Amino acid sequence: MIKAMNNLNELYEAILAGKLEQAVSVTREAVAGGAAPQEIINEYMIKAMEAIGARFESGQVFVPNLLMSARAMRGALDILKPLMQGQVNSYIGRIVIGTVKGDLHDIGKNLVASMFEGCGFEVINLGVDVSSDKLENKADIICMSALLTTTMNYMKEVIDALETSGLRGKVKVMVGGAPVSDAFAKSIGADAYTSNANAAVIMAKKLINAC
């Protein structure tokens, strides 16, 4: 078990440094050595993603570093997911995320989705050009992204659709993207706006009282 813990410390460092192959290799060794998937996620992967997020917030690292860490984390998580099927309370919350209808930009949205996943959320990433009916999945939080001023207004249509369907009171709504602002989020009735991936994770935890 001591060896497994040493390996998991290597996993933490691999994710922090954005080393995909090392993260995958160490995760496989840890599983083979009897480490519990949930412990690997909670004690090492989530903490590594929180650490890289904090470094981003303080200006020590930049978006490429976040992307590399998220990639390494996803590689490790892909090994663990099949081992966790059917487990209860594996996630701190469920997030449905997508770029709104008419908008095909997804780099920022995918980074946010990866950060959510790396920090303990179950994430349903619907991709781009997502209509309101697809976003109305069962979730704790619905996250919408837009990069164009011509598509950001569709966010209000989604919130209106949630109101009509009776789901608005059961789900939190977060919005983001280059043209989006806190004032815009408030004007359309969203619960929160964040400007970057790490801030999105912090806000999501607050919205579902998981911090």
Side-chain angles (χ1 to χ4, degrees):
M1 184 59 71
I2 292 176
K3 183 179 178 181
M5 289 179 64
N6 288 337
N7 285 347
L8 288 170
N9 286 328
E10 290 179 22
L11 174 61
Y12 174 92
E13 295 296 337
I15 292 175
L16 202 59
K19 296 180 179 178
L20 171 62
E21 292 182 3
Q22 184 180 358
V24 169
S25 175
V26 171
T27 301
R28 284 183 176 143
E29 290 178 11
V31 169
Q38 202 60 51
E39 180 186 3
I40 296 173
I41 292 171
N42 292 340
E43 298 301 320
Y44 298 91
M45 293 173 60
I46 289 177
K47 289 183 178 179
M49 292 303 291
E50 289 175 342
I52 194 69
R55 291 184 184 185
F56 175 78
E57 283 290 308
S58 64
Q60 297 177 60
V61 300
F62 304 96
V63 169
N65 304 98
L66 282 182
L67 288 169
M68 290 172 65
S69 289
R71 181 168 168 260
M73 176 278 302
R74 284 199 307 273
L77 195 60
D78 284 344
I79 295 169
L80 300 176
K81 278 183 177 179
L83 306 175
M84 296 168 57
Q85 291 180 357
Q87 288 189 17
V88 180
N89 298 325
S90 295
Y91 302 99
I92 60 176
R94 191 181 206 217
I95 291 177
V96 172
I97 187 170
T99 303
V100 296
K101 186 176 179 180
D103 202 316
L104 302 177
H105 298 86
D106 68 352
I107 293 177
K109 181 265 299 174
N110 286 343
L111 175 56
V112 172
S114 294
M115 286 292 289
F116 280 141
E117 198 167 23
C119 290
F121 287 92
E122 179 186 9
V123 178
I124 310 300
N125 189 342
L126 297 176
V128 300
D129 193 25
V130 180
S131 58
S132 61
D133 60 315
K134 292 180 180 178
L135 281 163
E136 290 180 45
N137 280 273
K138 185 178 180 181
D140 298 302
I141 304 173
I142 291 175
C143 293
M144 295 182 280
S145 173
L147 196 66
L148 305 173
T149 55
T150 53
T151 59
M152 60 189 278
N153 289 317
Y154 188 75
M155 292 176 174
K156 186 175 189 308
E157 292 188 35
V158 174
I159 292 175
D160 288 344
L162 290 171
E163 292 279 5
T164 301
S165 65
L167 294 175
R168 183 65 186 95
K170 302 175 183 178
V171 65
K172 300 295 184 181
V173 177
M174 292 176 59
V175 296
V180 181
S181 66
D182 187 56
F184 175 77
K186 290 176 180 175
S187 74
I188 63 172
D191 294 293
Y193 155 80
T194 56
S195 61
N196 62 68
N198 192 57
V201 171
I202 293 170
M203 178 57 71
K205 288 181 177 180
K206 286 182 180 178
L207 288 177
I208 63 170
N209 298 314
C211 56

